[in-house]
Amino acid sequence: VDSDGLIKTAKQGEARIDYTDNTDGHLLLEPSRTNLITYSEDFTNASWAKQNSGTGTAPVVTSDNTISPDGTQNADKIVFDKGSGSSTSDLSILSASFTSQSNTASFYIKSDSEQRIVVRNSGTWVGYDVTTEWTRIEKTDTGGSIQIGLRDGYGVSNVPDTATVYLWGAQVEAGSYPTSYIPTEGSAVTRLAD
């Protein structure tokens, strides 16, 4: 994060300065990590399955709909509609698969008004309240897929029938915590250790 609060991409081997918790900035040193999500900013790509079941309809994705945390208009708008059903088979979700392993999934999300979505990183479903500010959601688990959207049951309460959100910067990396965002456009990308 730069001094303007935007996420910037650094070239391989270039020193990175992070201003997240310090207005003077500090050197960002991280281990080598690989983003296993092959299209981290393009949720229209076929690598992101648009799934629906029961009373739900497939998520509708509009590319490059709003300004992302990197300051450009490249965040996608996603409309989820699980319908009025209330069973676990009523769903509307985006899903991406990757090499099964212990991992941490993360992505940036916001909405025009408060919304609630559910996220599953291979294991349990968890509900998240989405606000009008960009927030990075992080979930550590073991497995080979991530799902984002609407689904009833599985111990998550207050799941709405519909939700409209903006997504950007999806990342899945081997490890128990997330590191800084690694953009991808068609293949996994590895950032070398600092």
Side-chain angles (χ1 to χ4, degrees), residues 6 12 14 17 22 29 31-32 54 63 68 75 86 88-89 94 102 107 138 144 146 149-150 155 157 176 192:
L6 300 174
Q12 198 71 260
E14 184 177 273
I17 307 297
N22 181 335
L29 300 174
S32 176
S63 293
S68 77
S86 59
T88 57
S89 65
L94 284 174
S102 177
F107 56 89
E138 305 161 357
I146 182 173
L150 299 176
S157 60
S176 61
L192 300 178

Side-chain angles (χ1 to χ4, degrees), residues 146-165:
I146 182 173
Q147 288 94 30
I148 305 165
L150 299 176
R151 185 175 199 170
D152 274 315
Y154 297 101
V156 180
S157 60
N158 302 318
V159 178
D161 293 342
T162 63
T164 300
V165 299

Side-chain angles (χ1 to χ4, degrees), residues 2-19:
D2 70 6
S3 58
D4 295 322
L6 300 174
I7 294 175
K8 295 293 183 186
T9 302
K11 295 177 184 169
Q12 198 71 260
E14 184 177 273
R16 294 174 293 142
I17 307 297
D18 186 8
Y19 292 87

Side-chain angles (χ1 to χ4, degrees), residues 105-180:
S106 62
F107 56 89
Y108 290 86
I109 189 168
K110 77 169 192 169
S111 58
D112 290 327
S113 61
E114 288 199 13
Q115 304 280 320
R116 186 164 175 83
I117 61 157
V118 294
V119 176
R120 179 177 181 242
N121 179 10
S122 302
T124 58
W125 290 90
V126 177
Y128 290 95
D129 294 317
V130 181
T131 70
T132 58
E133 300 294 322
W134 282 109
T135 303
R136 191 180 196 192
I137 288 180
E138 305 161 357
K139 189 170 185 307
T140 301
D141 216 321
T142 301
S145 66
I146 182 173
Q147 288 94 30
I148 305 165
L150 299 176
R151 185 175 199 170
D152 274 315
Y154 297 101
V156 180
S157 60
N158 302 318
V159 178
D161 293 342
T162 63
T164 300
V165 299
Y166 304 96
L167 290 177
W168 181 83
Q171 182 159 303
V172 172
E173 55 194 303
S176 61
Y177 62 91
T179 61
S180 60

